[in-house]
Amino acid sequence: MPKIPLVDVRAQYAPLIPELQQAFADVLDQGQFVFGPNVAAFELEAAAYLGVPETIGVGNGTDALVLVMDAMGIGPGDEVICPAFTFFATAEAIARRGATPVFAEIDPSTCNLDPEDVAGRITSRTRAIMPVHLFGRPARLDDLAALGLPLIEDAAQAFGSADIAGHGVASTFSFYPTKNLFALGDGGLVGVRDPELAERIRMLRFHGSKAKKMFEYVGYNSRLDEIQAAALRIFLRHLDEWTRLRREAAARYRELGLGDLVEVPDDEPGHVYHLFVCRSPQRDAICSALAERGISTATYYEPPLHLQPALAYLDYGLDSLPVTEQLARDNFSVPIWAGIDADTQEQVVDAVREAMTVSVS
Ligand SMILES: Cc1ncc(COP(=O)(O)O)c(C=O)c1O
């Protein structure tokens, strides 16, 4: 076990264990484990929180993307533009639908899709743009929406940001246990405005069926279960406080001078700091030095998606997305979670400072 983990999920839910136990006991008493009252209530509470008319609980964030594209009729012959600097699931979902992921460059200062580059990749086959609110920072939705194509927001890492959900045709979320709003296992959600699209997604998540025994589409089995929904309802009530604590931790890294040593993310009001991702040409030396001191770091999306073996058929090749490739080479994240304390953060910054001194001298 590292002395300082990258994220301490247990520290976040530990004070809520008695409340969770009671909620789980209630589910056990009731004996309804799928499509129960907690899922129905969570869907309403999440919709109110996100400011969208409807949300649909699903099995995970990957399925959420697949279901939305299926409901939109996106499939073979269609193109969907997305970043190559994101978790594999973003492009995987497009390919899973038999459509073609088209990778666009990112803006290095935000790590999110660069709308100008996206514009240059639109063809007659483009059916949608899939921005990712990476690391918890909202993508430039207004500029992307101005391109005139439907937006499917991959908001897996950004639940809690006021600046997402609603601009797009749909927003998808993952409740993987390290996410800002998390389940105690897998879970996902789709937020939608159009009631017809919502209805189709709702049916697709249960084998394309509205009423038992009648199957109108070939669908999936991808449901949020009752135990996870019971936990999510409790966690949703704490999310704003957790976001406040994450923002406080981000501000503290800046106050401690981390930005004098490495490039740190800009202070942006909509950022919910799922991760605190820095950049440095000495990235590898810093990460090894921190590991020696028992401090966890992580690096992201190297190789980026256009260079992943599973997507080699798309024929991108090295140097085809230079901004993305450079970011993949020099990024690293430092520990952050809701409630990380000042002393822990100081140890992290001291370790980075020492690593830089050693690697420069
Ligand atoms: C950007 C992004 N998209 C999609 C997913 C997929 O979510 P899940 O793991 O719940 O399937 C993840 C998360 O893990 C993610 O980070």
Side-chain angles (χ1 to χ4, degrees), residues 59-65 86-92 132-135 154-157 172-176 178-179 185-188 274 301:
N60 54 67
T62 310
D63 284 359
L65 290 167
T86 170
F87 181 58
F88 186 65
T90 307
E92 183 185 36
V132 180
H133 303 296
L134 201 70
F135 305 141
D154 181 345
Q157 304 184 2
T172 64
F173 300 91
S174 162
F175 299 132
Y176 181 78
T178 57
K179 299 290 194 258
D186 278 312
H274 169 55
Y301 315 130

Side-chain angles (χ1 to χ4, degrees), residues 336-355:
I336 195 164
W337 61 87
I340 186 173
D341 62 75
D343 177 58
T344 302
Q345 289 188 264
E346 209 169 319
Q347 288 181 56
V348 173
V349 177
D350 285 349
V352 173
R353 188 172 291 114
E354 216 172 285

Side-chain angles (χ1 to χ4, degrees), residues 75-106:
D78 295 331
E79 294 176 356
V80 177
I81 301 176
C82 69
F85 192 71
T86 170
F87 181 58
F88 186 65
T90 307
E92 183 185 36
I94 300 168
R96 175 54 57 215
R97 285 294 312 138
T100 304
V102 173
F103 295 118
E105 269 294 20
I106 47 169

